[in-house]
Amino acid sequence: MKALLVTGGCGFIGVNFIRFLLEETPDFHGRIVNVDKLTYAANPRSLADLAEAHPDRYRFVHADIADRARMARVFDEEQVDAVCHFAAESHVDRSIAAPDAFIVTNVVGTCTLLELARERADRIARFHHVSTDEVFGSLGPEGYFTEETPYHPNSPYAASKAASDHLVRAWHTTYGLPVTISNCSNNYGPFQFPEKLIPLMILNALEGRPLPVYGDGRNVRDWLYVRDHCEAVWRVMTRGAPGRTYAVGGGAEEANIDVVHRVCDLVDELAGPRPDGAPRRELVRFVADRPGHDRRYAIDGTRIGRELGWQPRESFETGLRRTVAWYLAHADWVAAVRSGAYRDWIRAHYGEEGGAM
Ligand code: NAD
Ligand code: DAU
């Protein structure tokens, strides 16, 4: 892999993945071309130090993956020979409110990349598609998702990711494109946009605002520290068999209300008590449930463990403590991603139409 195209590299997992490759992966010697449309969820400044430290190994291109002509130029000018595809609309609640963008980016965008890769099949060594366990739907109190679990997506987001998985698999079966797919559980860690449960609760707790817990708070997610996910993606890309799918999980099932309580206790400990001394757990408010809210996700990671020797390293306790500490130490990052001025900064640097840095 001399020129690895990373899509969505200014989002939460993409930023962590590029950092992981350039800072912690001695067996990666290539260049990274990060293509990102810079939606609300992106923060190109999260990589500013890396861009400066590795000018010969890192390049950012502001572009939409669904823009075929523009992406064709990227593939050819950069001589892309491998793809790691993160770019997506990723938030379930937004997909319920306004699904269109999920179809354009997650389905049409993925198809566009597959076609560009197919047209350059002699050069593309690997097309890795980063997907989610949400494609499998909801579990009852027992059992786990495996690579054999039938698809049963419930939200517009999950349906769009399921569609993209099917396209990726079809481009392997029909055209022989050397694809791999990973279906991962909930990630958490540094650089996550504060609309997702954990960073939202950290910041609301810190600021003394209500903590909205959907339904009865007993929905269960399987939490994976983002660096562990990055390592899994790299393992699959470099050692996974073409055409193969891998389920990736943290082995850390938690009910939402327990996650929120843990966050409250950590913020109390690390940021100090609120002015009135009341524990932050008192900020919890049970609110209307998410429509179609999946009850439980949990991954059986036997395949990736047995075939690729991957296991999560971080426990939920240590990972959550690190994460709370990161958000407390990066108030500037939080203020930037929340501010309108930040959107203006992105427009001033990258324009509405795009351009390369
Ligand atoms: P994110 O929302 O934080 O980041 C998505 C990135 O994609 C942003 O930088 C955004 O600007 C970019 N993007 C969106 N539309 C684009 C387009 N049309 N062209 C180019 N770039 C575009 O998402 P994330 O949490 O980092 O998730 C990354 C991938 O991992 C997604 O495919 C998601 O489905 C998958 N995933 C996420 C999780 C999780 O818990 N966050 C778990 C499993 C799988
Ligand atoms: O499982 C992997 C998926 O995890 C990824 O594919 C998605 O991109 C990612 O967003 C995440 O989806 P979830 O819907 O599970 O994540 P979210 O952080 O939105 O919600 C986690 C749980 O917390 C879920 O059961 C809904 C609940 N929740 C969420 C928010 C934002 C609340 O109770 N209150 C909230 O305010």
Side-chain angles (χ1 to χ4, degrees):
M1 294 181 202
K2 289 194 181 125
L4 172 62
L5 171 63
V6 175
T7 69
C10 295
F12 162 49
I13 307 176
V15 163
N16 281 284
F17 183 70
I18 291 172
R19 289 192 163 278
F20 170 76
L21 281 192
L22 290 179
E23 290 179 334
E24 297 181 57
T25 312
D27 61 333
F28 174 67
H29 306 288
R31 290 186 297 117
I32 292 174
V33 184
N34 172 12
V35 166
D36 199 297
K37 184 182 170 185
L38 300 182
T39 69
Y40 76 94
N43 188 346
R45 282 158 109 180
S46 304
L47 290 167
D49 57 325
L50 275 199
E52 229 168 77
H54 302 278
D56 48 335
R57 296 189 67 200
Y58 174 78
R59 186 169 138 77
F60 173 68
V61 178
H62 182 195
D64 184 337
I65 56 162
D67 179 343
R68 186 156 175 163
R70 186 78 204 286
M71 290 306 300
R73 288 212 304 280
V74 173
F75 269 81
D76 293 337
E77 284 169 16
E78 301 291 342
Q79 286 293 296
V80 167
D81 59 10
V83 179
C84 188
H85 177 33
F86 291 96
E89 289 291 340
S90 70
H91 195 49
V92 172
D93 293 330
R94 285 180 190 257
S95 84
I96 295 168
D100 293 8
F102 289 72
I103 306 305
V104 174
T105 288
N106 300 1
V107 184
V108 179
T110 300
C111 186
T112 304
L113 295 174
L114 287 166
E115 276 296 83
L116 292 168
R118 178 169 80 90
E119 288 163 5
R120 292 152 185 82
D122 52 335
R123 199 169 75 213
I124 302 297
R126 180 56 56 99
F127 186 113
H128 181 70
H129 178 58
V130 180
S131 193
T132 171
D133 59 357
E134 300 205 7
V135 299
F136 302 124
S138 188
L139 290 166
E142 306 291 326
Y144 296 91
F145 296 136
T146 73
E147 293 80 3
E148 311 305 328
T149 303
Y151 276 51
H152 192 110
N154 288 319
S155 70
Y157 162 71
S160 70
K161 292 295 290 188
S164 65
D165 288 13
H166 293 319
L167 292 171
V168 173
R169 190 171 293 108
W171 259 242
H172 173 71
T173 311
T174 306
Y175 305 116
L177 196 68
V179 309
T180 36
I181 300 175
S182 48
N183 293 96
C184 186
S185 64
N186 286 62
N187 283 215
Y188 69 102
F191 299 110
Q192 188 167 33
F193 190 80
E195 64 186 351
K196 304 292 198 291
L197 180 73
I198 287 181
L200 180 75
M201 296 298 153
I202 294 171
L203 297 176
N204 280 11
L206 186 63
E207 293 159 5
R209 286 189 277 122
L211 306 176
V213 175
Y214 300 162
D216 64 1
R218 303 308 308 172
N219 299 65
V220 170
R221 297 293 182 263
D222 174 355
W223 293 97
L224 178 65
Y225 191 66
V226 63
R227 190 201 169 281
D228 283 331
H229 183 198
C230 294
E231 194 173 28
V233 166
W234 184 240
R235 279 276 166 114
V236 172
M237 278 200 85
T238 50
R239 301 190 206 168
R244 206 143 172 81
T245 290
Y246 297 86
V248 183
E253 283 186 58
E254 292 272 335
N256 292 337
I257 186 64
D258 298 331
V259 172
V260 174
H261 283 157
R262 280 176 186 267
V263 167
C264 289
D265 296 349
L266 280 165
V267 175
D268 283 342
E269 178 193 329
L270 298 177
R274 295 164 67 199
D276 62 3
R280 287 180 171 83
R281 285 180 180 222
E282 290 183 4
L283 296 168
V284 168
R285 301 286 178 274
F286 289 95
V287 300
D289 209 353
R290 170 186 280 175
H293 196 176
D294 288 335
R295 191 64 175 171
R296 175 171 165 259
Y297 304 147
I299 295 279
D300 174 348
T302 303
R303 176 180 287 179
I304 190 168
R306 197 182 50 224
E307 294 184 9
L308 307 182
W310 177 88
Q311 298 288 344
R313 298 182 191 200
E314 196 80 46
S315 71
F316 191 54
E317 288 74 17
T318 57
L320 193 61
R321 177 174 285 274
R322 271 176 193 271
T323 304
V324 172
W326 188 89
Y327 278 88
L328 297 185
H330 290 82
D332 50 344
W333 184 91
V334 171
V337 297
R338 281 165 152 188
S339 78
Y342 181 64
R343 306 313 309 167
D344 293 342
W345 182 89
I346 288 185
R347 267 192 292 277
H349 280 72
Y350 303 108
E352 298 291 356
E353 298 301 318
M357 186 171 84

